[in-house]
């Protein structure tokens, strides 16, 4: 198979962790006889600096030509003074998600039994580790509803974000959650705020009907977002598939990541309905965390989330399951062997980004 990847490293630690992930991609494919062709394009702050906009036309075109996008992370203090709609996050990542209709964001939160010490949760609360996955709706809700800021007659100022969801949007993401749950423990927790929000009332109705009619083998629990945030800390192991709307998923997935050791460990796949040249889903793969400007350029960032994003890409956009597993096993083994970046070293001896990458490659 010949894979064509658009690589968008982005800003701050983005290029540093990408420099670790690309050799891992090349190594695993070489071993199994596949070929890969990748090209690197500026996005986010880098796009602004080089081409005057966060998503340069040439970058978007390269993404169109590719089978999948491997994304780093964007944004940071350097561009914070720009008008909000020109800022790296809003002007690159969100349009990319919208353009390629990447409505399903899959974020695995896996804490293996022999890595429990990397979690901030007391070990006795998670004797078996944690294995959950967040299915976050990614192209609707507050992120994409109508927005405005305007002065009021009395001199006050009013800002509006709108949360909009349609039945069809909820159904298609529910189908992703069902498919995910079928490959796991067959349990979905829908997180919403149905005691307050109209959109949540619709979510509950649509999700429960969808499961009742198309997936009676799946059990459904519902939980308010405030309770879910608490339950995640109290008893994270109760969760299998967490299904939720865009904003709640943004917040909960960070919480899930840190429960599983560190934000530097959580990869994510953003999938849509487009099919690539290989007949598989077109997707964008990125770490769930941000650009970490405070540690950028110091060889301190944890590259695991970026490396694990490569595994998700091979699995979802190319169907290369054993290659994906090989990468996941190499990361797991590296950490189990005690090779860790500072964020997961628990105050113990830590290695840098590049050394972590070498250690993963060595175990691949
Ligand atoms: C994420 C990020 C993005 C989001 C930002 C960078 C716009 O936090 O992927 O979770 O809010 O979706
Ligand atoms: Mg986020």
């Amino acid at each position: 198979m010949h894979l064509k990847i658009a690589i968008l490293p982005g800003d701050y630690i983005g290029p540093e962790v990408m420099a670790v992930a690309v050799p891992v991609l090349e190594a695993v494919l070489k071993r199994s006889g596949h070929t890969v062709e990748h090209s690197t394009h500026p996005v986010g702050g880098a796009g602004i600096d080089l081409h005057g906009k966060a998503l340069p036309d040439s970058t978007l075109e390269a993404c169109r030509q590719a089978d999948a996008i491997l994304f780093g992370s964007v944004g940071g203090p350097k561009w914070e003074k720009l008008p909000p709609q020109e800022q790296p996050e809003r002007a690159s990542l969100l349009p990319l998600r919208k353009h390629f209709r990447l409505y399903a964001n899959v974020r695995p939160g896996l804490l293996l039994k022999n890595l429990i010490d990397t979690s901030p949760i007391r070990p006795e609360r998670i004797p078996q580790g944690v294995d959950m996955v967040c299915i976050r709706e990614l192209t609707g809700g507050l992120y994409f509803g109508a927005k405005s800021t305007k002065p009021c007659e009395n001199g006050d100022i009013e800002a509006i974000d709108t949360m909009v969801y349609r039945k069809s949007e909820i159904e298609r993401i529910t189908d992703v959650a069902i498919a995910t749950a079928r490959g796991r423990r067959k349990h979905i927790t829908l997180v919403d705020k149905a005691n307050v929000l109209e959109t949540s009332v619709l979510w509950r109705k649509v999700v429960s009907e969808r499961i009742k009619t198309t997936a009676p083998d799946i059990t459904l629990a519902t939980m308010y977002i405030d309770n879910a945030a608490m339950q995640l800390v109290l008893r994270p192991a109760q969760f299998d598939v967490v299904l939720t709307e865009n904003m709640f998923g943004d917040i909960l997935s960070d919480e899930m990541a840190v429960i599983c050791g560190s934000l530097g460990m959580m990869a994510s796949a953003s999938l849509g309905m487009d099919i690539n040249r290989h007949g598989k889903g077109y997707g964008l793969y990125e770490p769930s965390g941000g650009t970490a400007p405070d540690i950028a350029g110091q060889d301190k960032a944890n590259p695991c989330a970026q490396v694990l994003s490569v595994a998700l890409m091979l699995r979802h956009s190319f169907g290369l399951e054993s290659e994906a597993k090989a990468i996941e096993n190499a990361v797991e083994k590296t950490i189990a062997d005690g090779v860790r970046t500072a964020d997961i070293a628990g105050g113990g001896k830590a290695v840098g980004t590049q050394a972590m990458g070498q250690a993963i490659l060595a175990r691949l």
Side-chain angles (χ1 to χ4, degrees), residues 294-322:
D294 54 321
I295 56 161
Q298 299 166 45
D299 192 40
K300 281 189 182 159
N302 184 345
C304 290
Q306 189 76 66
V307 170
L308 292 170
S309 300
V310 171
L312 291 180
M313 177 176 83
L314 295 177
R315 174 174 294 131
H316 292 287
S317 283
F318 301 97
L320 296 174
E321 179 60 33
S322 61

Side-chain angles (χ1 to χ4, degrees), residues 174 178 205-218 220:
T174 303
I178 290 171
K205 188 169 175 296
V206 173
V207 171
S208 56
E209 272 172 22
R210 193 78 170 173
I211 291 178
K212 204 155 69 199
T213 54
T214 72
D217 52 319
I218 305 286
L220 173 69

Side-chain angles (χ1 to χ4, degrees), residues 104-154:
N105 187 221
V106 180
R107 297 190 163 177
L110 179 65
L111 175 66
L112 299 157
K113 226 172 143 186
N114 60 350
L115 306 182
I116 285 172
D117 63 308
T118 60
S119 174
I121 305 290
R122 281 211 306 274
E124 63 267 27
R125 288 188 182 271
I126 40 173
Q128 302 302 322
V130 179
D131 181 5
M132 54 193 170
V133 53
C134 181
I135 306 290
R136 167 188 175 194
E137 200 292 327
L138 201 60
T139 48
L142 284 171
Y143 278 67
F144 293 98
K147 297 173 190 292
S148 64
T149 304
K150 61 173 197 295
C152 308
E153 274 166 20
N154 67 357

Side-chain angles (χ1 to χ4, degrees), residues 99-276:
H99 181 90
F100 292 104
R101 301 180 294 172
L102 305 169
Y103 65 86
N105 187 221
V106 180
R107 297 190 163 177
L110 179 65
L111 175 66
L112 299 157
K113 226 172 143 186
N114 60 350
L115 306 182
I116 285 172
D117 63 308
T118 60
S119 174
I121 305 290
R122 281 211 306 274
E124 63 267 27
R125 288 188 182 271
I126 40 173
Q128 302 302 322
V130 179
D131 181 5
M132 54 193 170
V133 53
C134 181
I135 306 290
R136 167 188 175 194
E137 200 292 327
L138 201 60
T139 48
L142 284 171
Y143 278 67
F144 293 98
K147 297 173 190 292
S148 64
T149 304
K150 61 173 197 295
C152 308
E153 274 166 20
N154 67 357
D156 209 346
I157 305 176
E158 182 180 86
I160 302 177
D161 291 290
T162 326
M163 192 186 290
V164 186
Y165 270 108
R166 293 200 169 173
K167 182 180 172 202
S168 52
E169 288 175 287
I170 303 169
E171 280 174 347
R172 67 182 182 187
I173 190 74
T174 303
D175 291 346
V176 175
I178 290 171
T180 309
R182 285 207 166 118
R184 303 171 47 95
R185 302 198 299 278
K186 298 198 169 156
H187 183 65
I188 297 177
T189 306
L190 169 65
V191 174
D192 62 29
K193 190 70 185 173
N195 49 351
V196 176
L197 300 177
E198 281 296 310
T199 44
S200 287
V201 173
L202 183 65
W203 268 81
R204 265 195 195 199
K205 188 169 175 296
V206 173
V207 171
S208 56
E209 272 172 22
R210 193 78 170 173
I211 291 178
K212 204 155 69 199
T213 54
T214 72
D217 52 319
I218 305 286
T219 54
L220 173 69
T222 52
M223 213 179 258
Y224 296 138
I225 173 72
D226 48 349
N227 185 28
M230 181 179 78
Q231 292 294 332
L232 266 174
V233 175
L234 280 179
R235 284 200 308 122
Q238 72 182 284
F239 295 98
D240 183 16
V241 174
V242 174
L243 168 63
T244 192
E245 64 88 41
N246 204 346
M247 178 63 101
F248 295 160
D250 178 43
I251 299 166
L252 280 191
S253 61
D254 271 30
E255 191 184 347
M256 290 164 84
V258 87
I259 286 168
C260 295
S262 161
L263 203 45
M265 292 301 301
M266 195 186 226
S268 97
S270 301
L271 311 167
M273 35 215 165
D274 293 348
I275 298 294
N276 64 22

